[in-house]
Structure formats: structure tokens, C-alpha cells
Amino acid sequence: MNRNKKLLVVATIFLSLALQLITSPIQASAPIPSNVSALGMDLRENSELGRMPSVIFGIGDQNDQKTWLICSGLDDPICTKDSEIMATFNYDYCAPTTQVGCIADVWAVDPNGNKIDGQFVKSVPNDPRYNLEENPAMQIPSSHGVGGVWRIPGVMNSAGLDTYFVDFQTNSWANKVAGASPKTAKFGVGNIITGILPVQEVSGTFNLLSATDAAHGGTAEGSNGTQYAPDGSPCAAQDLTICEAIRDFPQGYRFGMTIRTPESVNGWFHGRLTSPQITTSAWKNGEEISIEGQPVLVPSLNFSVPNAQIPDSVKKLISSGIQLGVEGDGIGETKISEDLSGPYTMQLLTDFAPAFGNKATKTQGSWSFRTLTGQYDQSVQQCSTNGALSGMVTTNALTYVAGPPTFDAATGVLQYKVASPHFAADGSQAVGTYDLSIKSDVARCIYKFTQAPIQASISIQSDDGSSQIATTVVSEKNGWLYLSAKGFSYSNPTIDVKLTQSTAKVTSSTSLGSPKPTSAKNIPSRTITWVKGKVREVLKSQSCPKGFKTA
């Protein structure tokens, strides 16, 4: 097999695997009729990790995902005819020869502050049809499986195992001349999705993951969806005979991950972790990014209600012609499965709240970070285009506004909106966390501050306008400003961050303390008024002329 055919041999599995039985496909941008028999939502963090193999789509019409079709290889006419192509890439663990990008390190930090390095175990699935060869010219990474299992020795998850599923995935785009070979294109980094999940390997019979499109098993670009272990736990990834079932994180540990990207990451991240520490450095033509933090408890929703119980505001929204990611055929029981920062997700969650009792289906620990997409506030956008990572917003709210906080110049407030079920799965009131990590130079740019120290305050406003009390922490370290708020409640609070900077005071010439000798050597150059009787003269002299005294 020659290099070009070998390059994307992984894509050929889709034609055979797409014919497998698909019980709950995930489809992108499908319309939902208002007379659907039952409707609900399936919203959970990390729903993208391990859910899409490395694959390339030809984009017929960017506004119609039914025209996004799978390319079986780089010589496929589908990818040749289109001027735009899109790819999902799952990056490998770093090798000494890696050039495009990879996972460099995974670790945990115990309650005593000791770092425990992770060890790569295997790719999942361990199937040669999922192998993707690195292509530096096209900026395609090496890829095996949809992620990998790592051991972090002695860091036992809720299953009593030290195994964790790790994935670093990008949704990348490339432009070329219509009719030209895809080999002339070069992919950008695109949107990053990455995370660490505690897992337990469970035996059984499972289907391999496959991509779908309008020609292969779906109505739009997507995959054959999530599979589950016999106990109902979702699989982080699966092979034909094993499922890496998701379990809970151990208490008291921090986790960390270092990724390498083929080009610098410009913009903002969103994360599912708290008290983060971030470092970045140059790597080849790209960047190395290390993020460490504690996992947070994030709610999830998985419910449906009969058509008669669908709130009117939800019916009005879905009948407006918008297209949403769905599970199901859109006619029988259907669940909306949108990006948690999607343009309609927060509104749908809020409008649906009476139908699901404003209570999470499940609450589980999560550790992940991803690129924030969406419209940026102009002030934030202008200060975030420095060719490097500008900031990171982390919260345990189920949904959040896409993009970094918006800046209100009139009030000097950075504002961030979130929404989440008011109650955790066990019926207790959900407790909110919010962390804003922002490059110090970006913060100073937004506020037009000097290099003097920055002060900050955080306030939480409930959806009824009342203020909430939260524990807040502010610090600045190694070029990053860290702000944290914890202990507030949901459903739809607005988080306001205000940065201030005191004006430096001019030191008085008559300061307290021991006087210093008034020689010309240590007196600053200034204008002094000297007097002699009724005569007042303003002189530049630093010493008193004969017959004069100070005014």
C-alpha cells in the first residue's frame, strides 16, 4: 500500500461500519417538527470525547450539513470537488519524531502535593483501521483509535483502578481550490476538545464507533453515538469486546495534562476544572500548553416528555426553523444533544426546566478543557489577538455563554452568564464554581491599565436580581491573573468580575521618618521658591542663595 492510500485508510471503515445497527445516532443540525411525539434533552460534559473517529468530510454547502459527506481517502472525488474540507483528528501520545502535535504528559497531584506521572497503556479501539499516519505538509497528526488508556499509578478511581481515558481532539478546517487535490490543503488547529476520564474496562459485545453522514446512516454529519456498559454507564470508548466505562474521580487529587499543537493557539479555553494553573511555551512551529486543576462536579440531563408536556416556549423555538443536534429521527422520541455552549442550549435548558423539575439526571466529576467558540466582545477580541492563549473560563454549570466574558466599559465589569439545574441529582441544592484565568497583559489591555498591581472583585447576581454570597479568591502569578468564586447557587446567575487599579501616589517632600541630608546629590530637580524679606523669587537653585530662605 502506498503512502497516500495509507494516509487516510481509517476513513474506509466508515462504509462498512455505518451499516451496523445504530440505536441512537447523533446527528448534526437536524430540524425538529413541533408535532414530534416526545422531546427531551441529552446534555452532558465530555459527550464529544471518544465519539468521533479521525475522519475528513467534504463540505458541499457550509450552511447545510446534509451536504457534509465522508471522504474515503485523500483521492476521494468528494473531497476533490469541494473548496472546503473539515476533519476530526484524535492526537496520539508524543513520540520522539512527532512533528504535528500530540499528548506529551498526563499526571495527578496527591493531597500532599506529590506529582504522579501517568503511563500510556494502549489506544482504544486497538484496530489498524483506525490508524492515521502523520502528514506534516497537511498538518495531519498521527492517530490511533479515538483516544488512549493511561495508568496513573496508585491514583485509584471509584472502581478501585488507576486507569484513565485521555483524548486530545480537534475539529479542523482547510481551504483549497475547488477541483484540486485535498493534498494541496493544510489544516489549521481548529477547535480543541480534550479531557481525562476515570474508567473501568468492562467486557461485553459492542459496536465499533463509526462516522455517519446523509449517505451513511444519518441525516447529517455525526456518529453512531454513545454506547453503554451493562450497568448503564456510558463508554468513554469501546472496542468490539470491551467498554471503557466512565467512573468517578478520587477525592483530593488534582490532575494535569500537556498537549502540543502544530501552531499557536489564539483565543480562550473553557474548562471543567477548578483552581487551574496554566503554563504555555513555544514548541516547534506551535505551542505546548500545560493545564492542571481539580475536577468539578458537573450535572447532566437525559430526559424526554410527551408532546403535550413540551413547554410552549420550546415548541416556539423548534418551530422557528432552527436546526439542532439530535438523537433519534425527529419524529418519534427525540432528544436534543447540543454543544453545551451552543447558541440555543442555555435557552432550551431554562425553558425546559419545569418539565424536568430543575433537577439534574446525574452529577459526576469532570476534568476537561476546550476552545471557546462564539462571538467575542469587541474589547476582549482586540486584546486576545496576540497569537497566544489569552484566557480560560472554568465552571461546573451545565451550560454557559459561548466566548469569554463580555466587557462593559461603562461599569468596568467583565460579565459571564451560566445556567444549570438548581438541584443536583441527589436532590440537594447544586453548588456553583467559577474560575477566570486571564493573561495579565490581556487584562491590562482590556482595562487600559499600567503595570501596577491589579485588584479585583467578583459578584454573583441571581436571575431574580438578588445578590449571592460566594467565597472569592484573587491572585496574580507568572503572568496570569486568577479569580475564583465558589459556593453560589443556580439556576441562571450572572457572574460579574470588576478589575481596578489604584493610581500611584506622588511622594510628598515632607514625608514622615528621619530626614535625609539635603545635598544637591539627593534632592530631586524641581522648582523651589526662595524669599528674602518681601522679595519672592522662583529659582531653579537646589541650594539657598545668600540672604534668602525657603518660602
Side-chain angles (χ1 to χ4, degrees), residues 53-257:
S54 295
V55 58
I56 291 181
F57 290 86
I59 308 301
D61 179 352
Q62 191 176 54
N63 298 315
D64 183 2
Q65 291 189 349
K66 291 182 179 180
T67 68
W68 297 16
L69 300 177
I70 296 167
C71 302
S72 61
L74 289 178
D75 295 316
D76 191 314
I78 291 172
C79 273
T80 298
K81 71 177 180 61
D82 294 327
S83 61
E84 190 171 30
I85 51 180
M86 183 200 70
T88 295
F89 295 131
N90 296 284
Y91 287 61
D92 274 345
Y93 171 52
C94 291
T97 57
T98 300
Q99 300 180 59
V100 175
C102 52
I103 300 171
D105 196 12
V106 175
W107 69 90
V109 178
D110 70 18
N112 296 319
N114 301 308
K115 182 181 178 183
I116 304 104
D117 290 321
Q119 303 165 358
F120 178 76
V121 177
K122 65 177 181 178
S123 297
V124 182
N126 185 15
D127 189 310
R129 291 174 293 178
Y130 285 78
N131 297 351
L132 181 64
E133 185 178 335
E134 184 179 64
N135 184 330
M138 294 185 67
Q139 216 156 260
I140 294 175
S142 172
S143 178
H144 293 76
V146 297
V149 173
W150 293 62
R151 285 189 64 240
I152 307 181
V155 182
M156 302 299 183
N157 59 40
S158 61
L161 300 170
D162 55 5
T163 48
Y164 296 81
F165 176 78
V166 181
D167 188 16
F168 164 27
Q169 181 187 100
T170 62
N171 293 322
S172 302
W173 296 77
N175 294 302
K176 64 178 186 64
V177 175
S181 169
K183 299 167 193 174
T184 62
K186 183 177 181 179
F187 287 97
V189 170
N191 295 328
I192 292 173
I193 305 171
T194 187
I196 302 171
L197 297 170
V199 292
Q200 176 184 16
E201 188 166 290
V202 177
S203 299
T205 301
F206 304 93
N207 290 329
L208 287 174
L209 181 72
S210 64
T212 60
D213 60 13
H216 304 97
T219 60
E221 172 264 334
S223 76
N224 63 339
T226 303
Q227 296 188 50
Y228 297 86
D231 67 355
S233 301
C235 305
Q238 66 276 339
D239 213 324
L240 287 171
T241 59
I242 61 104
C243 158
E244 299 296 342
I246 299 174
R247 298 298 182 237
D248 291 320
F249 282 95
Q251 296 294 314
Y253 284 82
R254 294 170 63 85
F255 290 81
M257 185 175 179

Side-chain angles (χ1 to χ4, degrees), residues 452-470:
I454 295 173
Q455 293 81 44
S457 62
I458 306 175
S459 61
I460 313 294
Q461 303 293 325
S462 296
D463 48 0
D464 62 4
S466 62
S467 297
Q468 293 193 44
I469 297 174

Side-chain angles (χ1 to χ4, degrees), residues 91 99-101 139 172-173 186-190 192 260-266 283-289 387:
Y91 287 61
Q99 300 180 59
V100 175
Q139 216 156 260
S172 302
W173 296 77
K186 183 177 181 179
F187 287 97
V189 170
I192 292 173
R260 292 172 178 165
T261 60
E263 57 190 39
S264 294
V265 176
N266 177 24
W283 177 75
K284 297 186 184 297
N285 294 323
E287 193 169 17
E288 182 175 274
I289 302 170

Side-chain angles (χ1 to χ4, degrees), residues 6 86-87 98 160 168 242 262 279 285 297 308 369 374 423 448 468 489 494 501 504 510 515-516 541 543:
K6 206 173 152 186
M86 183 200 70
T98 300
F168 164 27
I242 61 104
T279 60
N285 294 323
L297 289 172
F369 61 90
F423 299 104
K448 299 178 173 58
Q468 293 193 44
S489 63
T494 299
Q501 189 174 59
T510 56
K516 294 183 180 180
S541 174
S543 59

